[in-house]
Amino acid sequence: MTGTDDGTKAGTRGPARASGPRVPAPWVRTRLRAAPAAALALALLVALTAALAAAFPRAVDRYEDAGLRRTLDDASPRRTTVQFFAPRPDLEFSLGEGENALREAALRKGYDAVLAAVDKPLVADRAQSSYGVRTSDPTDASDSFLARPSGLPPRVALVSQNALGAHSRPASGRLPRATDPVTATTSEVEAAVTTETARTLHIKVGSVIHVPGLERAPLAVRITGIVAPREPDGAYWMSTPLIREPSLIQLPSDGGTYWIGALLLAPDAGPVLLGTPGKPERYWQVAPDTSGPTAHDVSGLASAVAALESGPGLARIRERVDPLTDATTDLDEVLSSFTELRSGIAPLVAVAAFGAGTVAAVVVLMASGLAAERRRGELALVRARGGSLPGVLGRLLAETAVVAVPAGALGLGAALLAVPHARFSSAVAAALAVTVLACVALPVRAAFAHRAVRVHGGREDIASVRPSRRRTVAELTVLVLATAAVAALRRGGTDDAGSSGGSGDQLVALAPVLVGVIAALVLVRLYPFPLRRLAGPAGRLRGVVAPLSLARAGRTSASTALPLLALLTALTTAAFGGSVLAGVHTARDHAALLATGADARIEATHALHTALPGRIRDIRGVREAVPVSVAYRAQARRGSGTAGETAALVGVEPGPYGQLSRELDLGGFPARTLRATGPGGSGSGKAVVPAIASPSLADRFGTAPFSVQLEDDSKVTVRIAAVRDVTPAVTDLDFLVVDREALTRRAARPTALLLTGGHLDGAALRRAAGGGVDVRLRAEVRTAYVHSPLQSGAERIYTAAVAAGAGYAVLALLLALVRAAPERSALLARLRTMGLTRAQGRRLLVLESLPQALLAAVGGALTGWAAIRLLAPGLDLTAIAVAGRPAPGGTARLRTDALSLLVPSLAVLVVATGVALAQAWWTGRRGSVRELRAGDGR
């Protein structure tokens, strides 16, 4: 029998113990395995927040870039092209040298020098840029076959521009050629004209047009072809529109008219222009590439344009091309208009961004606070058993970073995919900020909670915890910042802030958030006191639910500040943002109403057909059609020797027009205001007719009678009976509104119809109105105000930011309730063992959570209202409402929107009540015994 030294059998030896020191389990892996749900929730929160934070600057970049492209595309190439020109070279050179300077090779060399002087980010569109030589002073063409609208001969400009064949296709004939070297004394050259020029001036292939010569015989220009532009709206043709289509010129003296057109010579035929009196000049036209620049390149573009107009770029061109070269362009004005529009919109978007960002940051901090509260006992035990504070914080940072860093990277990737073609750096910075905040929030929170080693902590409700001096100083600092921001915005407004730049702009954008922060800090300090005062009378009521709920609400956790801060900030931002959007829509509606005078306007420069009002009223959707006669150039004067003042005289039917004015709130008046009290008149000017006047006319003429001469030389004597700032028939003009019965039959004939109704059919109205009549719908005018992607993009961003802030606010409310859920569940279970019914339990939870939710709802509504009232004088919504387009109505100001104040607040109450009911239902479903077994330590 074989055995071991200790007498045990070999086959029955127990398990061998591991030799060597025991290796502890890794901290991070153990913690993630112990709480996978919490880790997953944190990852989702960080990923969502990082995605939204990274997507915001990219979305702003996209709509700003689209706005810049729309601005450049809307501007004509004549404005955006940078044009360089130099005078005829034979003024300083010999004739031969001057001729050589106008040939294709020399012009091409100058063109290369011009392109070399263009600095980035301004990039030339080589396909649309051009160069050549032209006569700057068109000369008469006396050929009899050319069009003469009033007997005056047309004038033609000779243009020799490069690459004519590449930018046109022959409609008939062929392109011009210069087979022999062309000089200033050449007697005949070939040319082409565009189809528009040929049709208008009656030019055909083979026509010969004679141009006066300079100290020589007239130059014969033979038309060899008629060409059609390949891109008629491109910069090649539209930088100088005359080469594409002729222009009709009216003489200011006798009203005579004549045509000006262009004859397109061969590229090497430029020297012949020296033999004409047309003052030839060389030119180089640089068309910018409008597809490449971004909104962040605008300042660089402006600098590059300035360098070409009067800076080092122009100096280099003069050095290499001609000392007398000059430059002109309106591109700088186009860029300036975009900058002004962006400066008016950016501060409003920044307000929404700061509001939503603040709420999101608070939610991330609340999530870390929930984790710290859940692990309070664990961390206290680790500290009590000798764990160093840096070691504990390092492990917390590591376990949080393992979850947050991949989640932040995932959110960044989602943002890059969702919003492509924008800057990368700003998105990375935003996602990195969210990730860093998520990583350090829990360690910092734990550092403050466990900097001293203790196992049992005291009570931390509001009744026992008193604000420290540091907290008081911090709250006073925030109060000073909020006051400074509000004062800056009221004094300077968003326009001044947007143009000044710097930290002051950010302070102004933070103003609504800071107002909400101050309200949250004040309410957290004050609201327990009325609850405690109510607890005494409630204790004398029958039942335990009311006094117990008030007592618990009055002794809520001292950490209530963060949830209340999130709710108040979100509600203030939502109210502010909703009021901004409502104000924008109201401003557009009002501007469109003033522009049309009604839901639709039908107007002509002549009297409308007498049957037109009846036809219009029969169209579906038209409720009323009010005819008016408008004389826009009536002259009002007191006495025959005084100077007249131009005003619009509006003849109306007092009853229908007065009712229309009252319905639209555009200077309404009773019909008796325009009824003459004395004998009527028929336009003889002897009877005094009551009139409604604009304020400026009322200030000048007072209430004494004065004469008004109409465009048909008839006169009417009026007396101002009432003053109105606006009237439906006229926009942005001084006006006089009188009864049509007081005018002559010719002057009283309606020239406009003001229509009211819903869902008007513009096509049907235009068919019924016929030709020569202008039809404008209020809805179409309103749509035209939303022209720039800057407007629509900013509105979408603003809406998304407000929605995101509201979503985070709901999440903050849920986190606050989840944090208190274990304690409430245990309390409810204990009370049920004492006889509390399920209905009483539901009422207890609802009443306990209702004071804080009601406080947030009422406080949010009041804070939002106060923020709007405080900041409205400094906010100008005109830029985002009408985008700088001509719009009546003046400045659009921010006004309180009731729905934006009430709906978010009611939503908070509904969510809080719903969560409390759900918690009571779930606790009752689990049962009291099971809930108590879960641990009394909660």
Side-chain angles (χ1 to χ4, degrees), residues 436-837:
V436 170
L437 178 63
C439 290
V440 303
L442 177 58
V444 171
R445 183 70 175 265
F448 280 99
H450 300 281
R451 60 184 180 274
V453 178
R454 59 177 179 268
V455 178
H456 299 288
R459 287 170 49 184
E460 293 190 357
D461 55 23
I462 294 181
S464 59
V465 177
R466 295 292 180 259
S468 64
R469 293 182 178 180
R470 293 180 179 179
R471 174 180 171 183
T472 303
V473 172
E475 292 178 359
L476 290 177
T477 302
V478 174
L479 176 61
V480 172
L481 290 176
T483 305
V486 173
L489 190 56
R490 285 179 64 88
R491 182 177 63 253
T494 56
D495 289 341
D496 295 342
S499 60
S500 62
S503 59
D505 302 350
Q506 300 175 2
L507 184 63
V508 170
L510 270 173
V513 175
L514 293 177
V515 171
V517 169
I518 291 299
L521 297 177
V522 172
L523 290 178
V524 164
R525 286 200 174 199
L526 296 181
Y527 97 97
F529 298 106
L531 294 179
R532 294 172 194 167
R533 296 292 298 269
L534 292 174
R540 294 189 288 270
L541 299 176
R542 296 183 60 184
V544 72
V545 174
L548 183 58
S549 61
L550 286 175
R552 285 184 55 80
R555 292 182 177 273
T556 184
S557 172
S559 61
T560 310
L562 276 181
L564 190 59
L565 172 60
L567 290 175
L568 284 182
T569 303
L571 292 176
T572 303
T573 304
F576 194 86
S579 297
V580 167
L581 296 177
V584 168
H585 295 160
T586 301
R588 288 177 186 156
D589 287 336
H590 187 62
L593 176 61
L594 291 178
T596 56
D599 294 324
R601 183 187 189 100
I602 300 176
E603 189 171 18
T605 56
H606 52 80
L608 299 176
H609 196 277
T610 55
L612 181 59
R615 294 201 306 266
I616 295 298
R617 291 188 181 97
D618 292 337
I619 296 177
R620 183 178 179 180
V622 176
R623 184 171 65 250
E624 185 59 51
V626 179
V628 296
S629 62
V630 184
Y632 287 101
R633 293 189 294 274
Q635 296 293 318
R637 58 171 56 91
R638 178 176 284 120
S640 57
T642 60
E645 183 165 339
T646 303
L649 183 71
V650 184
V652 303
E653 297 176 4
Y657 188 80
Q659 181 179 359
L660 174 69
S661 302
R662 291 192 299 273
E663 290 178 355
L664 300 177
D665 193 22
L666 294 179
F669 60 91
R672 62 178 179 274
T673 304
L674 295 182
R675 300 296 185 190
T677 56
S682 58
S684 61
K686 297 180 180 180
V688 178
V689 179
I692 297 175
S694 58
S696 61
L697 289 179
D699 292 340
R700 175 172 179 179
F701 293 100
T703 57
F706 59 94
S707 176
V708 180
Q709 183 176 358
L710 278 68
E711 297 164 359
D712 62 350
D713 291 334
S714 62
K715 294 183 179 180
V716 60
T717 303
V718 302
R719 174 184 54 82
I720 298 177
V723 180
R724 296 292 184 270
D725 293 329
V726 293
T727 193
V730 178
T731 302
D732 290 339
L733 292 174
D734 290 330
F735 59 84
L736 291 168
V737 181
V738 300
D739 189 350
R740 285 172 50 199
E741 296 296 329
L743 304 177
T744 62
R745 177 176 298 181
R746 180 180 178 184
R749 294 181 62 182
T751 59
L753 289 176
L754 303 179
L755 312 181
T756 58
H759 305 289
L760 298 177
D761 187 351
L765 291 176
R766 290 182 175 90
R767 286 195 300 269
V773 178
D774 179 39
V775 178
R776 281 181 290 167
L777 271 66
R778 177 181 175 184
E780 295 176 352
V781 174
R782 185 192 183 283
T783 303
Y785 287 137
V786 192
H787 178 69
S788 174
L790 279 174
Q791 297 171 278
S792 56
E795 289 184 58
R796 289 194 298 268
I797 290 291
Y798 214 113
T799 305
V802 171
Y808 276 105
V810 173
L811 185 57
L813 183 60
L814 293 177
L815 287 176
L817 296 175
V818 166
R819 179 174 184 175
E823 180 187 356
R824 290 180 177 178
S825 299
L827 173 67
L828 203 58
R830 294 190 186 98
L831 292 177
R832 282 180 183 170
T833 62
M834 302 176 188
L836 191 73
T837 64

Side-chain angles (χ1 to χ4, degrees), residues 179-503:
T179 55
D180 298 326
V182 178
T183 65
T185 59
T186 300
S187 60
E188 181 176 329
V189 292
E190 297 180 353
V193 293
T194 61
T195 53
E196 282 293 319
T197 303
R199 181 183 58 83
T200 304
L201 298 184
H202 306 163
I203 299 175
K204 300 178 180 179
V205 174
S207 300
V208 178
I209 301 173
H210 295 85
V211 177
L214 182 63
E215 299 178 356
R216 49 158 290 177
L219 173 66
V221 182
R222 183 176 300 276
I223 305 301
T224 62
I226 298 175
V227 297
R230 296 183 185 274
E231 297 181 47
D233 295 328
Y236 180 89
W237 294 100
M238 291 303 296
S239 297
T240 308
L242 187 64
I243 68 174
R244 194 192 75 167
E245 58 184 1
S247 177
L248 184 65
I249 304 299
Q250 183 175 9
L251 295 175
S253 56
D254 56 1
T257 58
Y258 63 91
W259 288 105
I260 292 182
L263 306 180
L264 307 179
L265 308 182
D268 262 334
V272 76
L273 273 61
L274 296 175
T276 67
K279 299 179 182 178
E281 65 178 11
R282 295 163 290 168
Y283 66 90
W284 301 267
Q285 299 177 148
V286 180
D289 184 3
T290 59
S291 62
T294 63
H296 291 275
D297 296 330
V298 169
S299 59
L301 286 172
S303 299
V305 172
L308 291 178
E309 277 193 294
S310 57
L314 182 60
R316 293 196 300 267
I317 293 174
R318 286 175 174 174
E319 181 181 354
R320 298 184 58 185
V321 179
D322 192 301
L324 300 179
T325 303
D326 207 348
T328 180
T329 184
D330 289 335
L331 181 57
D332 50 351
E333 297 180 4
V334 174
L335 296 175
S336 177
S337 66
F338 169 80
T339 302
E340 292 177 2
L341 177 59
R342 183 177 61 173
S343 299
I345 292 177
L348 297 175
V349 178
V351 169
F354 276 110
T358 302
V359 179
V362 169
V363 170
V364 174
L365 294 177
M366 287 183 62
S368 67
L370 181 61
E373 182 68 22
R374 179 172 52 86
R375 301 177 59 181
R376 176 186 294 270
E378 170 199 346
L379 297 178
L381 182 60
V382 171
R383 288 282 287 142
R385 297 184 65 178
S388 66
L389 186 61
V392 172
L393 298 184
R395 284 173 169 80
L396 291 178
L397 179 61
E399 69 177 75
T400 308
V402 167
V403 176
V405 171
L410 181 62
L412 174 61
L416 296 179
L417 292 176
V419 189
H421 310 302
R423 286 186 303 167
F424 181 73
S425 58
S426 57
V428 172
L432 182 62
V434 172
T435 305
V436 170
L437 178 63
C439 290
V440 303
L442 177 58
V444 171
R445 183 70 175 265
F448 280 99
H450 300 281
R451 60 184 180 274
V453 178
R454 59 177 179 268
V455 178
H456 299 288
R459 287 170 49 184
E460 293 190 357
D461 55 23
I462 294 181
S464 59
V465 177
R466 295 292 180 259
S468 64
R469 293 182 178 180
R470 293 180 179 179
R471 174 180 171 183
T472 303
V473 172
E475 292 178 359
L476 290 177
T477 302
V478 174
L479 176 61
V480 172
L481 290 176
T483 305
V486 173
L489 190 56
R490 285 179 64 88
R491 182 177 63 253
T494 56
D495 289 341
D496 295 342
S499 60
S500 62
S503 59

